[in-house]
Amino acid sequence: MRLRNKPWAEEKLKKYPQFVVPDPEKWRGHWQALFGNGNPLHIEIGTGKGRFISEMAEQHPEINFLGIEKQPSVIVSALDKLIEKNSPNVKLLNADGARLREFFAKDDVGRIYLNFSDPWPKNRHEKRRLTYRTFLQLYEDILADGGEIHLKTDNQGLFEYSLQSFSEYGLLLKNISLDLHRSDFSGNVMTEYEEKFSAQGQRIYRCEAKYRNAPGALQG
């Protein structure tokens, strides 16, 4: 899908530092101070237009949320949602998810959401997939013990690849769904893409992956 350029987006993002974190490196290891509480931090990599992250923040005031999106013309729509809802426990970061180590120290993050990430279907682009092993190492470097990755996608190929990648890395899998909207899973918050794809009758695939230092995870 072609991205419509919004040349004014970057300037608008700068006008709302209370929602769009301007200097994330400053908060590395101190994100709870930014939010002003001791609640856990969950991040979404590729937050898009922000429906998921804003609704999650509204439903879970006991958790801090940070949506990360590198495209200013996309994340500005997420900013509009935050301005409207004015939830105190959600912020945005206009940055590339590959730079996570610059922004987060070990134990900063409790959970990572990967929603409808680019599948990069060609074999030569495997290393760009957000569930490739180098990204799994990156996530492990910032997640707290017991941290999880929650993945949703409409792309069967990416889902199968991710399950294999998670397993080979040593992650424990649970709540695997091959057709989320026809499953008994409760508490799902949809993204804009998810609503569009499911309306077209496409399956939504979902799973949770947990690092082995976390007790109580079950293979499923």
Side-chain angles (χ1 to χ4, degrees), residues 20-210:
V20 185
V21 183
D23 47 2
E25 297 90 347
K26 171 183 175 182
W27 302 104
R28 187 178 187 273
H30 306 285
W31 284 95
Q32 291 179 334
L34 176 63
F35 283 92
N37 59 54
N39 295 337
L41 175 65
H42 293 181
I43 67 174
E44 182 187 18
I45 302 174
T47 205
K49 295 181 178 179
R51 174 177 174 178
F52 176 84
I53 203 78
S54 62
E55 291 191 14
M56 286 292 287
E58 201 168 23
Q59 292 185 20
H60 298 281
E62 76 284 1
I63 297 171
N64 298 324
F65 291 91
L66 184 68
I68 302 173
E69 171 62 52
K70 67 180 180 180
Q71 298 289 350
S73 294
V74 176
I75 199 173
V76 73
S77 296
L79 172 60
D80 289 337
K81 291 181 176 64
L82 267 58
I83 293 171
E84 178 183 352
K85 293 178 180 292
N86 199 29
S87 300
N89 62 321
V90 58
K91 298 183 186 296
L92 301 172
L93 182 55
N94 182 205
D96 190 334
R99 299 175 59 198
L100 292 180
R101 288 190 188 92
E102 300 175 34
F103 310 139
F104 304 101
K106 177 64 178 172
D107 298 334
D108 272 351
V109 178
R111 182 177 297 171
I112 294 172
Y113 292 100
L114 302 176
N115 292 320
F116 301 90
S117 307
D118 192 326
W120 294 106
K122 295 181 179 179
N123 288 337
R124 69 175 183 270
H125 293 151
E126 179 187 9
K127 293 182 179 180
R128 300 183 185 183
R129 298 171 192 161
L130 294 185
T131 52
Y132 183 67
R133 62 178 180 269
T134 55
F135 280 102
L136 300 184
Q137 176 64 63
L138 175 60
Y139 306 149
E140 186 174 21
D141 288 346
I142 67 172
L143 280 167
D145 288 346
E148 299 179 345
I149 302 167
H150 288 198
L151 170 73
K152 280 198 294 186
T153 180
D154 66 304
N155 188 286
Q156 182 178 352
L158 177 63
F159 190 69
E160 293 173 352
Y161 171 86
S162 299
L163 292 180
Q164 181 176 348
S165 183
F166 290 153
S167 297
E168 290 177 352
Y169 195 84
L171 300 179
L172 300 178
L173 302 176
K174 62 178 185 175
N175 293 329
I176 298 173
S177 176
L178 302 181
D179 195 350
L180 176 61
H181 293 178
R182 292 182 176 85
S183 73
D184 58 1
F185 181 81
S186 62
N188 181 53
V189 173
M190 287 203 292
T191 74
E192 290 88 353
Y193 277 123
E194 183 174 355
E195 183 175 45
K196 174 184 176 182
F197 295 147
S198 61
Q200 295 172 351
Q202 294 181 234
R203 287 188 180 190
I204 304 301
Y205 303 89
R206 183 185 183 279
C207 74
E208 300 170 12
K210 210 165 193 176

